[in-house]
Amino acid sequence: MSASPQLTQEISEDLISGRYECVVCSEPVGHKHELWACRCCYGVFHLPCVRFWADSQAKERERQLQSTSGVATQGELDRFRCPLCQSFNPKGSLAVYKCYCGKVAKPAVDAMLVPGSCGQPCELRQADPCCPHRCTLLCHPGPCPPCTRAREQACWCGNNTKTVGCSSGVHGYECGAICDKALDCGQHRCMAPCHEGPCPVCTMMVTETCWCGSTQRTRRCGAPPAGESTTASGGGGFRCTRACMKMRDCGNHVCGLLCHPGDCEKCFRIPERQKFCPCGKTRVQVQRVSCLDPVPSCGLTCELPLPCSHLCWLRCHDATPCAPCKEMISMPCECGARTMTFPCFCQYLQQSEWETARKQCELPASALPPCFPPKCNRVCKKWLSCHKHRCTNACCVNQEHICMQICTKKLACGEHQCGQLCHPGPCPPCSYVSYEPLYCRCRRTWVDPPVPCGTKPPQCHHPCSVPRPCGHPPNHECHRERDCPPCVVLVEKLCASHQKPMPYHIPCHKPEVSCGRRCGRNLSCCGRFCELVCHSGPCVHPCAKNFPTLAEVLRGGPKSGPP
């Protein structure tokens, strides 16, 4: 069903005439029946039928959950699907029989009204959220008709309005004036014509100065870099990487802190503020005039806390910073195999400052560790992830021990190498793909691309196109092998010893044929006849005699005969 204006009239006429049937029981819907209407498809059903339908769904759902050892949530059991459109509806709507508008429970039967109607004005809200009016029809089934009243609709920028129909679906329009809404920066206004949706970002370029006043930059208005604030006490700004060079309240010393918003710290060397010696143990007895006057030392050990929490070992000092800590501490190396002893200042000083600190503390050169955190020279020798190589790092703290060598084994295709990190087990299949067709030997059958590497040529059922050396036509299909199958055409052949045609035909691929009779050729060694079966090649006879050949007799050479 469609939510058209005629739908309400059609449902009402069918209900009044008794032609409307309940989808669940296929029985007509009458005035005396308790009814229920779906808010999605507007179908009308007998209330007992829908209750039975909802209970059946709940029982089926519980049975499914029991078979799968699941637990139904409260939301699943508190709703059911409409028998007509399968949309979800709250199960609480089936508790009490109500009219279509929901005002009256168990409305009275009136033959002059639509079955299930209370006869009062509907007064339901229209589907359009912009329409402020309510439905003026009497309580009815189906959707409420579109509102026929008018309302004032503002343009997209909100500066102008016009009168539109409530059901026109107009939620805004372009008035043609300048939008003039505040942009994302909050300082500039949108200069585009009245438009739908959010305004574009501000594209104005502004120049701002850092908080300490030493650096300027140009950026898009309203788009500060991530992690930076555009507001500070007294206006915008940003943090640069330089030290603040503003003068403190004394007028003699600069701030020295990293670029910061707000006022700089006060000078603590002013006589009114510096009441004690530099170490803070003794009150100053000397009259000081300004912050530039030195603060007298008390002569005791400084004992101010160092970054390592140990105490300074110098005498109470004013201008110079505290000395590096010369305490010797012990700490296990990174792998935990050995314990290293080194000066405490190695924990907080840069490695480039270690030598100067060592000389100031009068420590031997051997006291410095090679690095911090300290590392021993013990080689790991654990198996790597490939189970083929061992770790060769000193003082290793790696837990995974992934082998970083490249596997160079040939893949199954036989052409490409693995190329992955060294791994256990067989190499993965080749990932190379060809984008050219893969043809068979006769090129009449092919595999369309993409063709994975290692794919065999397709099986072709056409005759082989390779000519035979014997000249016979091929009597086999196209094949993947390099050599063709042997020719089996029956031909007439001569035997090897007598050179006489065989009485039967022989396959063409056989190079030598024997007739099966005795060879009978005269042997050159002893003058006898060869007793072997018809064969190819020279006759072989185990004889020590040697008769001269005809060529030797004609040349007059030495004669030798049988003894």
Side-chain angles (χ1 to χ4, degrees):
M1 294 183 180
S2 61
S4 61
Q6 293 80 14
L7 181 59
T8 301
Q9 183 178 357
E10 292 176 0
I11 297 177
S12 300
E13 292 177 354
D14 291 344
L15 287 172
I16 294 174
S17 62
R19 297 193 304 268
Y20 200 95
E21 294 182 355
C22 175
V23 176
V24 180
C25 64
S26 300
E27 294 292 333
V29 176
H31 284 81
K32 297 182 180 181
H33 296 151
E34 293 185 351
L35 307 178
W36 178 84
C38 177
R39 289 295 181 184
C40 183
C41 65
Y42 306 106
V44 181
F45 313 89
H46 292 132
L47 182 59
C49 295
V50 180
R51 287 174 179 170
F52 174 77
W53 173 272
D55 293 340
S56 300
Q57 284 188 352
K59 292 179 181 178
E60 178 65 20
R61 180 58 180 163
E62 290 179 355
R63 187 187 64 81
Q64 292 178 356
L65 292 173
Q66 289 177 0
S67 62
T68 58
S69 300
V71 179
T73 61
Q74 190 64 26
E76 290 182 286
L77 301 179
D78 289 346
R79 61 181 185 176
F80 68 97
R81 290 184 179 272
C82 171
L84 187 59
C85 66
Q86 296 297 310
S87 63
F88 284 107
N89 290 271
K91 208 169 183 180
S93 62
L94 305 177
V96 181
Y97 167 43
K98 290 187 177 182
C99 63
Y100 300 111
C101 65
K103 293 180 182 178
V104 180
K106 297 183 179 181
V109 177
D110 191 344
M112 301 300 296
L113 299 176
V114 179
S117 174
C118 64
Q120 300 182 19
C122 177
E123 295 184 349
L124 290 177
R125 285 283 186 184
Q126 297 289 339
D128 192 345
C130 295
C131 178
H133 309 114
R134 295 178 179 270
C135 180
T136 58
L137 297 180
L138 297 181
C139 180
H140 60 88
C144 296
C147 182
T148 57
R149 299 184 185 182
R151 58 181 172 85
E152 293 294 324
Q153 177 62 51
C155 63
W156 297 117
C157 66
N159 295 327
N160 300 300
T161 59
K162 70 175 182 180
T163 303
V164 297
C166 269
S167 302
S168 61
V170 177
H171 298 161
Y173 67 96
E174 296 179 359
C175 65
I178 300 300
C179 178
D180 201 39
K181 288 183 180 179
L183 297 178
D184 58 343
C185 63
Q187 300 178 4
H188 303 99
R189 295 282 179 174
C190 178
M191 302 305 296
C194 180
H195 58 87
E196 183 180 1
C199 297
V201 296
C202 183
T203 57
M204 299 289 292
M205 302 302 293
V206 296
T207 301
E208 61 179 355
T209 306
C210 68
W211 290 318
C212 68
S214 60
T215 307
Q216 288 186 341
R217 70 177 180 185
T218 302
R219 63 170 178 85
R220 185 177 65 82
C221 182
E228 291 190 8
S229 174
T230 56
T231 59
S233 58
F238 66 96
R239 185 188 302 276
C240 68
T241 58
R242 301 180 181 180
C244 178
M245 301 305 294
K246 293 181 181 179
M247 301 301 294
R248 300 197 178 192
D249 58 349
C250 64
N252 298 321
H253 299 97
V254 296
C255 176
L257 299 177
L258 188 63
C259 180
H260 60 88
D263 297 332
C264 298
E265 292 184 355
K266 298 180 180 180
C267 180
F268 294 99
R269 293 182 60 86
I270 294 178
E272 291 78 11
R273 298 174 185 153
Q274 187 75 38
K275 300 293 185 180
F276 292 86
C277 66
C279 69
K281 297 178 181 178
T282 307
R283 184 177 290 272
V284 177
Q285 303 295 334
V286 180
Q287 184 68 27
R288 298 174 62 243
V289 178
S290 69
C291 61
L292 299 178
D293 296 337
V295 180
S297 173
C298 65
L300 302 176
T301 305
C302 177
E303 294 184 348
L304 288 177
L306 297 174
C308 60
S309 73
H310 292 126
L311 302 180
C312 178
W313 49 274
L314 293 178
R315 282 192 176 185
C316 180
H317 52 91
D318 180 19
T320 58
C322 291
C325 183
K326 62 179 181 179
E327 295 287 338
M328 300 298 292
I329 60 174
S330 297
M331 179 183 294
C333 63
E334 288 190 337
C335 68
R338 299 179 183 177
T339 301
M340 313 288 286
T341 302
F342 54 90
C344 185
F345 62 76
C346 296
Q347 299 182 93
Y348 60 88
L349 291 181
Q350 297 291 335
Q351 192 168 357
S352 58
E353 303 174 357
W354 286 1
E355 185 62 25
T356 304
R358 181 192 67 81
K359 294 179 180 179
Q360 186 176 356
C361 296
E362 298 180 354
L363 296 175
S366 59
L368 295 179
C371 61
F372 186 84
K375 291 185 178 182
C376 66
N377 54 2
R378 176 177 171 271
V379 181
C380 180
K381 295 184 179 180
K382 288 185 179 180
W383 285 108
L384 299 180
S385 58
C386 62
H387 303 294
K388 302 174 184 177
H389 307 101
R390 291 182 180 270
C391 179
T392 58
N393 296 333
C395 196
C396 180
V397 295
N398 192 356
Q399 299 295 331
E400 297 180 352
H401 283 88
I402 298 177
C403 184
M404 301 305 294
Q405 298 188 34
I406 302 299
C407 179
T408 58
K409 291 182 179 179
K410 286 284 187 179
L411 297 177
C413 64
E415 298 182 6
H416 305 104
Q417 294 181 348
C418 178
Q420 296 186 0
L421 292 178
C422 190
H423 56 86
C427 296
C430 184
S431 59
Y432 285 86
V433 177
S434 174
Y435 292 94
E436 295 183 359
L438 178 63
Y439 291 96
C440 67
R441 197 168 185 179
C442 67
R443 299 184 69 84
R444 283 182 285 183
T445 306
W446 64 88
V447 177
D448 292 325
V451 181
C453 184
T455 303
K456 295 183 179 180
Q459 184 68 36
C460 179
H461 299 286
H462 293 89
C464 180
S465 60
V466 180
R468 291 185 179 276
C470 61
H472 294 130
N475 54 0
H476 57 275
E477 294 181 349
C478 180
H479 51 87
R480 301 171 183 171
E481 296 78 12
R482 181 177 180 181
D483 298 330
C484 293
C487 181
V488 294
V489 177
L490 299 178
V491 296
E492 185 181 76
K493 289 201 172 189
L494 304 178
C495 69
S497 297
H498 311 98
Q499 296 297 310
K500 293 182 179 181
M502 299 296 295
Y504 50 88
H505 289 76
I506 305 298
C508 179
H509 68 88
K510 286 192 173 184
E512 301 174 358
V513 180
S514 174
C515 62
R517 296 178 294 176
R518 191 178 66 175
C519 176
R521 284 187 286 188
N522 192 11
L523 299 174
S524 60
C525 57
C526 59
R528 297 180 181 179
F529 297 100
C530 180
E531 298 293 337
L532 299 177
V533 179
C534 179
H535 62 88
S536 62
C539 297
V540 179
H541 179 63
C543 181
K545 298 180 180 180
N546 185 16
F547 282 87
T549 62
L550 179 60
E552 293 177 349
V553 173
L554 294 177
R555 286 197 304 268
K559 297 181 180 180
S560 62

